[in-house]
Amino acid sequence: MRQRMLALAAAVIVVAALGPRTFNAFRSVFAFQSAAKTFAVSSTPVSIPFDLSGRHIILKVTVNNSPPLSFVLDTGARYSIINLDRAKELGLTLEGEIRVGGAGIQTATGSFVRNSTFTIPGLSGFSQPVSMALPIGHLAQRMGHDFDGILGSDFISEFVVEIDYLARRLKLHDKERFNYAGPGESLPIKLTQHGHPILEAEVTPIGSEPVRGKFVLDIGAGSALALHSPFVNERQLLGPNLKTIKALGGAGAGGEIAGRIGRVAELKIGSYKLTDPITLFSQDKAGALANASLLGNIGAQVANRFKLFLDYERDRIIFEPNSEFGKPYDRAFAGVSLQGEGKDYRTFRITSVLENSPASEIGLQIGDVITEVDGKAARDLVLSTLNGMFEKPVTYKLKIKRGEQTLQVSLTPRKLV
């Protein structure tokens, strides 16, 4: 799906330039935020189940007593954000105009939200304001799941948030009483003014010496590691000796992401070493992945090898390795990007095809729809499952609909980097 969702600094700059009416909307919305009631956390952690879709943590949320909505938990965002179309459907009060950038070179235009709050089933007594409405609904097709909004650091900061990827559960601890006594390692972080947790890590490009610098831990990014384009260019990391392929299907609030997929020799976080992680080498000219102040983003394919404790109250994140930690980044590539269409996202359409890949070699084309996999109707799958299957070096018999034609092909993903 996406590598980076939002860069709130751009929103604040543009807001101030749009005139007094928009600035007053900005001021009144955040005055409402600061007046929201403080939530008293139980001394016993509250356990909240979540879904995983494309490695993104999805929580059920209600906004102003709405039916359950799907919000992504994202350490790369600060405020709570709702999809603009969903906000209009719910009749939320929208004011002013804001432009927000993210991964990609474009900006998205949305509005502030007034007098609306969200709640989470199972978290009795809690509510928090919804701050912004942005046009992010199109990303649902890339994820193959409803995508109604984002919860960022304003939510995370209310608790110590324990993320157990294997159990698919959050535990929300009282941040004042929390005391960690497990086997993990506590690493210091610094929260930016935009709510992003920045930590020190070390990356070793293939054939180069280790480089230590600042990274954002971004669980809203589905990748393992993304290196920002200024760092990539300065170190000339995309040299002829590095095997890479074109990045397919990546997008954020700023549109499509430009880059190459390859590997680095090692990523070291604290004392933890991850060998040969698959890496996006950004070629973006603007946006979040062109940020020269950071070396890169550490994403969900690294985070999901740990149980994480996001303890913003103490300026730290605790990394506790889980049973996935030691497994190699040994994935295959089919050479296609897919999106889920229709009301239930169960129509799987090919949106791009990589040259010299298993998909191109069997003649798959943009616009083809996968209707059957190994004799099983594709509508019985979800997009994240299908994408996961295509990361394994197994031969799949596919039935493809191309216009009025029906084709039978065999696809065998293989290691490309």
Side-chain angles (χ1 to χ4, degrees):
M1 182 192 145
R2 62 195 172 101
Q3 301 297 333
R4 172 83 306 282
M5 206 60 183
L6 302 170
L8 272 298
V12 174
I13 292 169
V14 175
V15 164
L18 286 176
R21 180 178 177 183
T22 301
F23 185 75
N24 286 338
F26 174 84
R27 183 170 58 187
S28 63
V29 166
F30 290 96
F32 170 62
Q33 277 195 317
S34 63
K37 68 178 182 179
T38 301
F39 174 65
V41 186
S42 168
S43 59
T44 303
V46 179
S47 180
I48 305 291
F50 63 78
D51 293 328
L52 276 177
S53 182
R55 303 183 179 91
H56 303 286
I57 294 172
I58 300 175
L59 297 172
K60 288 303 179 185
V61 168
T62 60
V63 176
N64 289 2
N65 298 313
S66 71
L69 304 174
S70 297
F71 276 49
V72 171
L73 184 69
D74 188 355
T75 54
R78 178 173 180 179
Y79 304 112
S80 57
I81 297 163
I82 189 169
N83 173 29
L84 182 60
D85 289 338
R86 187 71 70 217
K88 292 176 179 177
E89 289 176 10
L90 296 175
L92 304 188
T93 301
L94 305 179
E95 288 192 0
E97 182 180 90
I98 49 174
R99 297 192 189 104
V100 180
I105 62 174
Q106 302 172 0
T107 57
T109 302
S111 298
F112 294 109
V113 179
R114 286 201 65 189
N115 302 326
S116 293
T117 59
F118 72 88
T119 58
I120 296 177
L123 191 55
S124 178
F126 174 85
S127 66
Q128 204 173 51
V130 178
S131 303
M132 301 178 186
L134 298 174
I136 55 177
H138 64 285
L139 295 170
Q141 290 187 324
R142 296 175 184 268
M143 193 163 62
H145 194 289
D146 285 339
F147 182 27
D148 299 306
I150 299 169
L151 299 182
S153 68
D154 275 3
F155 169 74
I156 295 168
S157 296
E158 291 292 318
F159 315 92
V160 172
V161 178
E162 177 183 342
I163 303 175
D164 189 336
Y165 280 96
L166 299 186
R168 298 194 179 188
R169 284 200 167 265
L170 299 183
K171 285 186 179 179
L172 305 179
H173 298 263
D174 184 332
K175 63 184 179 182
E176 304 294 340
R177 304 177 188 177
F178 178 74
N179 181 37
Y180 180 75
E185 184 172 345
S186 177
L187 299 179
I189 61 168
K190 181 178 180 181
L191 287 181
T192 71
Q193 61 180 321
H194 314 305
H196 305 163
I198 306 300
L199 53 80
E200 293 280 333
E202 184 178 278
V203 62
T204 305
I206 292 174
S208 300
E209 294 298 313
V211 182
R212 188 165 183 83
K214 296 178 180 179
F215 292 79
V216 58
L217 179 68
D218 184 5
I219 65 171
S223 61
L225 177 65
L227 298 180
H228 290 186
S229 54
F231 176 56
V232 172
N233 295 335
E234 178 190 350
R235 297 288 176 137
Q236 299 180 342
L237 298 183
L238 288 174
N241 296 326
L242 180 66
K243 188 174 183 179
T244 63
I245 58 176
K246 181 180 178 180
L248 298 182
E256 297 289 330
I257 293 167
R260 307 284 299 180
I261 298 292
R263 293 177 184 267
V264 296
E266 185 179 88
L267 174 67
K268 184 178 179 184
I269 306 172
S271 63
Y272 301 118
K273 297 178 181 180
L274 298 109
T275 303
D276 296 330
I278 293 173
T279 300
L280 171 70
F281 296 82
S282 173
Q283 295 175 307
D284 280 353
K285 305 296 185 184
L289 296 183
N291 182 355
S293 67
L294 300 173
L295 298 191
N297 290 21
I298 297 169
Q301 289 186 53
V302 170
N304 64 13
R305 294 173 177 234
F306 297 88
K307 181 185 286 186
L308 296 177
F309 296 80
L310 308 180
D311 188 357
Y312 289 1
E313 180 76 8
R314 297 171 181 83
D315 296 318
R316 66 177 181 170
I317 295 175
I318 299 168
F319 290 76
E320 184 180 302
N322 61 30
S323 60
E324 296 292 307
F325 176 75
K327 294 183 178 180
Y329 285 95
D330 190 22
R331 61 158 288 189
F333 292 83
V336 294
S337 62
L338 303 171
Q339 69 180 24
E341 299 178 353
K343 186 176 181 181
D344 58 0
Y345 308 103
R346 300 294 179 95
T347 298
F348 304 116
R349 189 178 303 277
I350 295 175
T351 58
S352 53
V353 178
L354 182 68
E355 293 183 0
N356 302 317
S357 71
S360 66
E361 290 162 3
I362 63 171
L364 293 182
Q365 298 179 9
I366 295 173
D368 287 350
V369 174
I370 300 173
T371 60
E372 198 172 283
V373 182
D374 289 343
K376 183 177 182 179
R379 64 177 176 270
D380 293 333
L381 302 171
V382 295
L383 183 59
S384 59
T385 299
L386 188 57
N387 282 333
M389 292 169 65
F390 287 174
E391 293 180 359
K392 297 178 174 62
V394 175
T395 298
Y396 301 98
K397 294 182 179 180
L398 306 182
K399 184 178 287 186
I400 302 293
K401 183 178 180 182
R402 181 181 296 164
E404 298 301 317
Q405 293 181 284
T406 298
L407 309 174
Q408 302 273 359
V409 297
S410 293
L411 175 69
T412 307
R414 66 175 183 267
K415 188 174 179 179
L416 297 180
V417 296

